[in-house]
Amino acid sequence: MKKSLLISMMLMIAGLVMAQQAVITFTRMEHDFGKINEADGRVSTVFEFKNEGMEPLVLSNVKASCGCTTPTWTKTPIEPGQTGAITVTYNPNGRPGRFQKTVTITSNATEPTKKVIIKGEVIPKAAQPVNKYPVKMGDLSLAKKEVKFGNVLKGKDGKASIEYANLTDHNITISALVKENDPIEAVISLPAIEKGKSGQIDFLFDTQHNKLYGQQEYTVYIVIDGQVKKDADHEIKLSANVEEDFSVLTPEELQNAPILEVERMIDLGTIVPGKKVKKSFNVKNAGLNSLEIRRLYNPSSDTFFAKVNKTSIKNGKTAAITIECDGKKQGVAMKPGEYRRNITLITNDPKTPKMNVTISWKIAE
């Protein structure tokens, strides 16, 4: 009997305490936006609430379930009998289809946590037409300004193209200016372009009359309405990597093929700017047929000089590669520190037709 009375008294006290607390009530707990257009941007709705308790209501936090939903709310205490609001904004950009998001409200009310929901369906915006000719060259519009032939086998032709259009309100003419002796041919499908018309420039890279192997670059200038301008605004860059075609070798030729042997790391030691350091190392042919050095490629020729004394090496023989460095770059002393650069040997060794040799040195303080 005493126990039951005690429980009843405790429940009564708890009820009195709760009655004196803040009580949050919403006019609605859910909002359906229906169908909204992605192109129209953000949409918002307001959830109104009232404090029906005896103490001031304070919202300590309002958090959305994802970053696409942003809530703002009444941050000052809401007195008993007064109202507040939570504005929930949804960003449909990049979110086509149906959605449902939750906003969690934390407060000092008798129910410390409440949740409201927004939902709807985003109608995706129409896809924008792709600009096929984003590069402007005077009155001419091009798809790109760079041509990459990629790897081209010696004896084969490299082929690539660029599309262009006349997007002006008048007719124009174009032609291509190729440097004499460059292994490049440019064929323009529509030299005289009426307004609104498009065409194509076909580029041919001739390896048969080009003795160079490995990576190489060329420049072609586009002449518009007969005006020759050799500047960056009117140039097209072309690049290719010419490789030997070993597929034509017979089994016997492969068995007797040359074999390149070379030291892979060459240290020039410490260099005082202005004082030239010279060092040589050997390239050996460990195969049977002659080893042909097709190219000694030095992309860092502004920091050191590299040369080979002969390009054809018989079985068991060697050639010497000499490196010269004076610690300067384009005539200016290099900063103190350690340096590493690569040179590339391109040969007719079918197993290792391309080999990098690292040249290292240190510039003294």
Side-chain angles (χ1 to χ4, degrees), residues 108-269:
N108 65 333
T110 52
E111 290 183 74
T113 302
K114 286 272 194 178
K115 292 184 179 181
V116 294
I117 294 172
I118 60 169
K119 60 183 180 180
E121 182 179 0
V122 177
I123 307 303
K125 55 188 173 184
Q128 296 297 314
V130 177
N131 184 4
K132 291 181 62 178
Y133 311 103
V135 178
K136 300 298 180 184
M137 184 182 287
D139 285 343
L140 187 66
S141 299
L142 300 101
K144 56 184 178 180
K145 278 188 69 175
E146 291 186 356
V147 172
K148 296 182 179 180
F149 293 103
N151 296 328
V152 184
L153 294 177
K154 191 70 173 178
K156 308 290 184 181
D157 289 330
K159 296 179 181 180
S161 62
I162 289 180
E163 293 184 13
Y164 62 85
N166 177 7
L167 302 182
T168 69
D169 58 358
H170 57 274
N171 299 343
I172 62 175
T173 63
I174 64 169
S175 60
L177 182 61
V178 181
K179 186 179 178 181
E180 188 177 0
N181 298 325
D182 276 358
I184 300 294
E185 182 182 355
V187 180
I188 298 175
S189 66
L190 200 64
I193 325 165
E194 296 178 3
K195 58 183 179 180
K197 298 293 184 180
S198 61
Q200 182 171 292
I201 308 175
D202 293 316
F203 293 96
L204 183 70
F205 179 63
D206 180 12
T207 67
Q208 298 185 50
H209 299 92
N210 175 31
K211 296 181 179 180
L212 198 60
Y213 284 78
Q215 191 67 33
Q216 42 199 289
E217 295 181 351
Y218 300 94
T219 300
V220 171
Y221 293 99
I222 302 300
V223 180
I224 302 173
D225 289 334
Q227 298 183 25
V228 179
K229 295 182 180 180
K230 294 183 179 181
D231 54 31
D233 292 335
H234 293 79
E235 69 180 15
I236 291 178
K237 292 290 187 181
L238 303 95
S239 63
N241 181 47
V242 178
E243 298 180 335
E244 191 140 352
D245 186 3
F246 295 107
S247 66
V248 300
L249 297 180
T250 66
E252 183 180 1
E253 287 173 325
L254 286 171
Q255 186 175 359
N256 297 328
I259 300 173
L260 170 67
E261 289 186 353
V262 64
E263 193 174 347
R264 302 293 296 276
M265 296 284 295
I266 306 298
D267 186 7
L268 302 179

Side-chain angles (χ1 to χ4, degrees), residues 218-363:
Y218 300 94
T219 300
V220 171
Y221 293 99
I222 302 300
V223 180
I224 302 173
D225 289 334
Q227 298 183 25
V228 179
K229 295 182 180 180
K230 294 183 179 181
D231 54 31
D233 292 335
H234 293 79
E235 69 180 15
I236 291 178
K237 292 290 187 181
L238 303 95
S239 63
N241 181 47
V242 178
E243 298 180 335
E244 191 140 352
D245 186 3
F246 295 107
S247 66
V248 300
L249 297 180
T250 66
E252 183 180 1
E253 287 173 325
L254 286 171
Q255 186 175 359
N256 297 328
I259 300 173
L260 170 67
E261 289 186 353
V262 64
E263 193 174 347
R264 302 293 296 276
M265 296 284 295
I266 306 298
D267 186 7
L268 302 179
T270 300
I271 298 176
V272 177
K275 293 185 178 181
K276 185 180 293 183
V277 171
K278 183 186 293 186
K279 190 169 185 176
S280 297
F281 61 97
N282 289 333
V283 177
K284 183 179 179 181
N285 178 13
L288 296 178
N289 291 336
S290 291
L291 176 70
E292 305 296 331
I293 298 179
R294 303 298 193 194
R295 186 181 181 187
L296 173 57
Y297 178 52
N298 177 18
S300 302
S301 57
D302 57 347
T303 58
F304 65 89
F305 175 73
K307 66 178 180 178
V308 59
N309 67 338
K310 58 181 177 180
T311 57
S312 185
I313 310 169
K314 294 182 179 180
N315 163 246
K317 301 299 183 178
T318 61
I321 294 178
T322 301
I323 306 294
E324 295 180 7
C325 181
D326 63 358
K328 293 183 177 182
K329 182 176 181 179
Q330 297 178 340
V332 179
M334 300 175 71
K335 294 180 180 180
E338 296 183 356
Y339 292 83
R340 284 174 178 263
R341 300 289 188 271
N342 286 337
I343 60 173
T344 302
L345 287 169
I346 301 174
T347 73
N348 64 333
D349 177 352
K351 288 188 177 180
T352 52
K354 185 186 296 185
M355 183 176 289
N356 290 331
V357 177
T358 300
I359 312 297
S360 62
W361 69 93
K362 183 178 181 180
I363 299 296

Side-chain angles (χ1 to χ4, degrees), residues 78-99:
I78 296 99
E79 297 296 328
Q82 298 301 307
T83 60
I86 299 172
T87 301
V88 180
T89 301
Y90 180 71
N91 182 6
N93 187 40
R95 300 177 177 89
R98 296 202 61 82
F99 68 92

